[in-house]
Amino acid sequence: MSSTLIISIIIAVLVLLMSYAFISQTITTRRQQKQRLLTALKIRARDFKFLINGFPPNFLSKDLSILVYRCIIEVTEQLAKLEPKEKLYVEELTLYNKQLEEVQRKPKNAKRAKLTNPQQTKEVKRLLQELNKFLAHLRKRGTINASQHANYEQQIKNMVVQLSVDSYIINAKQASGSGKTRLAIHYYTLARKLLAKESGKQNYQKQIQQLSGVIAQLEEKALAEEAAANPDRAAAEAQAEEQAATEWDEFNKGDESWKKKSVYD
């Protein structure tokens, strides 16, 4: 075998080895990229599920609910393409599309769900913070524009205000149920102040009026409780008021006699 042929064989083998190494490296790189993408998509899908299942029914606005469902549908479709043998994605897509249709059929101004305990309020606030971060990410990616982002942000802010009001009212009801009327008035007053502060951006007049009515009733109740708890003080205050009224009447009588005397003089 000539040296030329041997060299040619060696070169061919080297080329084959280099090609194999290149192809192997490419396959490994693509496999790693696919795995990283899968991991990222699964984390994103988990976060969307967390948002969908974490909020009470009818808590999110219709627009925000539709946005979250569309995002989780998009992520699940990508997962189904990367793992076509995984039947779970097909089932989830069927479920999410059905739920999206149900949300789309709901009236835009559906009655908002109210929370019933402080722990639930705290958890929902945290979910809203996560949703706000997600919206900022969508804005950065160009999925939503600046106007849409501002609209969604305002909706979240309104929900945070209502959450705070709900929290105050929960505390007020607990205080009232424990016989702490003045403390209940304090919490109701905080709720009213917050709504009054935000009423320029949102119409909260109906809620403010309702809270004012509740506060007025509790003020009467508090005064009655205080009078019953300290009858001597109540009697002293009533006697002082009666004495002041008597003195004022005497003063007015004297003033009238002076006026008559002036006229006759």
Side-chain angles (χ1 to χ4, degrees):
M1 186 179 291
S2 66
S3 59
T4 304
L5 181 59
I6 293 172
I7 292 171
S8 297
I9 292 172
I10 293 171
I11 291 173
V13 171
L14 289 173
V15 169
L16 285 172
L17 288 173
M18 290 177 64
S19 298
Y20 175 78
F22 175 76
I23 293 170
S24 178
Q25 181 64 34
T26 302
I27 292 172
T28 302
T29 302
R30 287 181 178 175
R31 187 183 294 117
Q32 289 174 345
Q33 289 175 342
K34 179 182 177 181
Q35 190 57 46
R36 283 197 294 268
L37 180 58
L38 266 172
T39 302
L41 288 172
K42 286 179 179 179
I43 291 173
R44 201 177 302 168
R46 181 200 64 194
D47 292 342
F48 286 134
K49 289 176 187 177
F50 187 59
L51 287 174
I52 287 174
N53 299 319
F55 288 109
N58 298 323
F59 183 83
L60 283 182
S61 66
K62 182 177 180 179
D63 292 342
L64 282 170
S65 295
I66 289 173
L67 176 67
V68 173
Y69 272 110
R70 282 177 176 167
C71 288
I72 196 171
I73 287 171
E74 179 187 348
V75 170
T76 309
E77 286 174 345
Q78 292 178 39
L79 285 169
K81 288 178 182 177
L82 290 171
E83 294 183 317
K85 294 181 181 179
E86 182 57 69
K87 294 181 180 180
L88 176 64
Y89 299 137
V90 177
E91 295 172 1
E92 288 181 336
L93 279 172
T94 303
L95 175 64
Y96 296 144
N97 277 297
K98 182 181 178 181
Q99 290 175 339
L100 174 60
E101 290 174 2
E102 290 174 357
V103 172
Q104 289 173 326
R105 286 196 296 267
K106 288 181 180 179
K108 190 164 186 177
N109 297 320
K111 190 175 181 181
R112 182 183 65 88
K114 289 189 177 182
L115 308 186
T116 56
N117 64 75
Q119 183 58 38
Q120 189 183 26
T121 301
K122 185 178 179 180
E123 179 61 23
V124 171
K125 270 189 178 181
R126 189 176 67 81
L127 288 172
L128 286 175
Q129 289 174 348
E130 292 300 319
L131 181 56
N132 204 33
K133 291 177 186 177
F134 167 65
L135 289 172
H137 177 67
L138 290 183
R139 173 71 185 95
K140 190 175 180 180
R141 282 175 51 194
T143 307
I144 58 176
N145 58 39
S147 177
Q148 289 173 317
H149 184 225
N151 179 40
Y152 290 136
E153 265 195 327
Q154 186 59 48
Q155 289 184 38
I156 289 177
K157 184 178 180 182
N158 293 342
M159 283 186 282
V160 171
V161 169
Q162 290 292 349
L163 272 178
S164 298
V165 170
D166 286 348
S167 181
Y168 287 140
I169 291 175
I170 289 169
N171 289 329
K173 288 180 177 179
Q174 288 178 347
S176 182
S178 302
K180 301 174 182 178
T181 307
R182 284 292 173 192
L183 184 58
I185 292 171
H186 169 70
Y187 282 121
Y188 278 122
T189 302
L190 288 177
R192 185 175 62 180
K193 283 182 178 179
L194 179 57
L195 291 174
K197 180 182 176 183
E198 298 294 332
S199 61
K201 301 171 186 176
Q202 189 79 7
N203 186 9
Y204 295 120
Q205 290 306 313
K206 185 177 179 180
Q207 281 181 279
I208 291 172
Q209 290 174 359
Q210 289 174 344
L211 288 170
S212 295
V214 173
I215 291 169
Q217 290 176 358
L218 287 176
E219 285 285 0
E220 291 180 3
K221 183 180 178 182
L223 290 173
E225 288 173 347
E226 289 162 4
N230 196 347
D232 293 338
R233 180 180 173 184
E237 288 178 354
Q239 186 177 357
E241 288 178 4
E242 184 179 352
Q243 184 178 352
T246 303
E247 290 174 355
W248 181 251
D249 289 340
E250 291 295 331
F251 176 79
N252 282 338
K253 288 178 182 178
D255 187 51
E256 288 173 4
S257 62
W258 176 82
K259 285 180 182 179
K260 289 177 183 179
K261 185 177 178 182
S262 298
V263 171
Y264 289 116
D265 288 345

